[in-house]
Amino acid sequence: MKNIYAKLLKLNQALSPIKKDQDNPFYHSKYADINKIIGEIRPKLTELGLVVLQPLTSIDGKSAIKTIIIDTESGETFGEDNLYPLIEMADPQKEGAVITYFRRYALLSALMLETEDDDCNSA
């Protein structure tokens, strides 16, 4: 696991806080869209030979998401036990939104990513 930890350290050193640039009208707050997060981190992950997978899985028969980081050079993995149970929804559209929501926060958590308010920094 020594190699993957060194690469994760380099990743953390290379990343800046990700700007929250999307509005959440229900909570009158801002958030960083998952596509923005992926767009910010993917080039740095690729440069370091790291890949992140977020397959759907289950915990005790209930849907969950797993966030796994793989070092393509050594084959080491990190996060095999990072499971986030999903809220069950009958509506497939809402289920997709729940999956995206949990993917975003699982990714932020697994990689210790910071987000910052755009308004706050421009003031």
Side-chain angles (χ1 to χ4, degrees):
M1 291 284 280
K2 196 167 136 179
N3 196 36
I4 197 167
Y5 289 146
K7 288 184 177 187
L8 288 170
L9 173 62
K10 286 180 183 179
L11 178 68
N12 276 278
Q13 291 169 334
L15 291 171
S16 299
I18 298 168
K19 299 225 183 297
K20 294 179 182 180
D21 61 355
Q22 298 294 309
D23 291 315
N24 182 333
F26 299 106
Y27 294 105
H28 307 291
S29 61
K30 290 188 168 281
Y31 67 97
D33 176 80
I34 191 163
N35 294 317
K36 178 169 181 75
I37 295 168
I38 292 169
E40 294 271 338
I41 66 171
R42 182 177 280 153
K44 291 172 177 63
L45 288 165
T46 302
E47 197 175 294
L48 293 167
L50 297 174
V51 175
V52 175
L53 301 177
Q54 291 189 300
L56 292 174
T57 186
S58 64
I59 303 171
D60 299 326
K62 297 193 178 205
S63 296
I65 192 156
K66 183 188 289 196
T67 300
I68 308 164
I69 303 164
I70 303 165
D71 182 342
T72 61
E73 293 168 8
S74 70
E76 294 172 315
T77 61
F78 176 79
E80 289 286 337
D81 298 329
N82 289 346
L83 297 172
Y84 295 85
L86 301 175
I87 299 164
E88 301 288 329
M89 297 287 200
D91 179 345
Q93 285 293 117
K94 289 180 181 174
E95 183 77 16
V98 166
I99 291 167
T100 300
Y101 180 88
F102 278 90
R103 281 185 61 216
R104 181 173 68 241
Y105 285 103
L107 192 54
L108 291 170
S109 177
L111 295 174
M112 288 297 296
L113 299 175
E114 297 173 87
T115 57
E116 63 183 18
D117 290 330
D118 219 5
D119 300 341
C120 186
N121 288 325
S122 61

